[in-house]
Amino acid sequence: MDLSWHLVWKCILLVLTGILLLRLSGRKSIAQMNVATTVIMISIGELIAQGIIENTVWRAIAAVALFLATLVILEFLEIRFGKFQNLITGEAVVIIREGQLDMQALKKLRITVNQLEMRLRQLGISSIADIKHGAIETNGELGYELQEAAKPVTKRDLEVLLKQLGNK
């Protein structure tokens, strides 16, 4: 019984410490993570698990803190030096220009046309031709700008139209 309570307290201590350290480091949402952040987060999860299983709670906490300090330093360097950002995070890759697919870019990213079309459908876009500019961002998400004819009508558009109709 004594051993199980010891394990419970180790788990609670490591999880709470991990949460505290992550909050202090200013974590982004998972969707905003880049490759470096993802690697560090996976490593932190492994360190916490090892600290629970082995008798190395304080070493695990120190290692998690060191990983997060490294992450904060990397993020600072990315902000400070543009070339460092390209090295660590990479750049967005344009895959659609004026409604036309860049097949070379898709091949480079190892994305099929079917996979791209699935992503577009999930975003409510039924045709590649409706996209003026589309890119796979550094976090893997699809960023896009719609062609003028495919953009939804805004409140401002309606107000302008109503003014024009009222002046006639």
Side-chain angles (χ1 to χ4, degrees):
M1 182 73 172
D2 188 38
L3 180 62
S4 62
W5 277 111
H6 182 66
L7 182 64
V8 168
W9 286 114
K10 281 194 328 187
C11 290
I12 291 170
L13 177 64
L14 282 167
V15 169
L16 291 177
T17 301
I19 291 169
L20 176 68
L21 290 170
L22 285 171
R23 297 285 295 155
L24 290 173
S25 70
R27 286 302 78 228
K28 303 169 186 147
S29 73
I30 291 174
Q32 295 173 318
M33 288 185 184
N34 59 36
V35 174
T37 308
T38 304
V39 168
I40 289 175
M41 291 301 146
I42 291 169
S43 300
I44 287 171
E46 180 65 25
L47 288 168
I48 289 173
Q50 280 183 355
I52 292 168
I53 294 168
E54 300 171 10
N55 283 332
T56 58
V57 174
W58 299 113
R59 283 195 327 201
I61 290 171
V64 168
L66 185 60
F67 267 85
L68 289 174
T70 302
L71 181 60
V72 170
I73 290 167
L74 285 175
E75 289 174 342
F76 172 77
L77 291 172
E78 282 184 272
I79 291 168
R80 189 98 163 116
F81 305 106
K83 292 199 186 258
F84 194 78
Q85 179 181 6
N86 291 341
L87 178 69
I88 298 296
T89 306
E91 294 180 316
V93 177
V94 177
I95 57 170
I96 302 171
R97 290 179 179 86
E98 299 298 330
Q100 299 297 313
L101 282 178
D102 182 338
M103 294 305 291
Q104 288 298 101
L106 281 177
K107 285 179 184 176
K108 178 182 172 187
L109 295 169
R110 296 183 304 277
I111 297 174
T112 67
V113 174
N114 286 339
Q115 290 169 333
L116 176 61
E117 288 174 338
M118 178 185 68
R119 284 187 183 193
L120 293 173
R121 285 190 300 274
Q122 289 171 339
L123 294 168
I125 300 169
S126 57
S127 173
I128 292 170
D130 288 343
I131 298 177
K132 181 176 182 178
H133 176 86
I136 300 297
E137 304 295 344
T138 57
N139 64 1
E141 294 293 316
L142 175 66
Y144 64 92
E145 178 186 357
L146 293 173
Q147 301 275 11
E148 286 299 318
K151 289 182 180 176
V153 177
T154 66
K155 184 176 176 183
R156 183 181 317 149
D157 294 335
L158 287 174
E159 289 172 351
V160 168
L161 181 62
L162 287 173
K163 280 185 181 179
Q164 289 173 348
L165 289 175
N167 290 337
K168 291 186 178 186

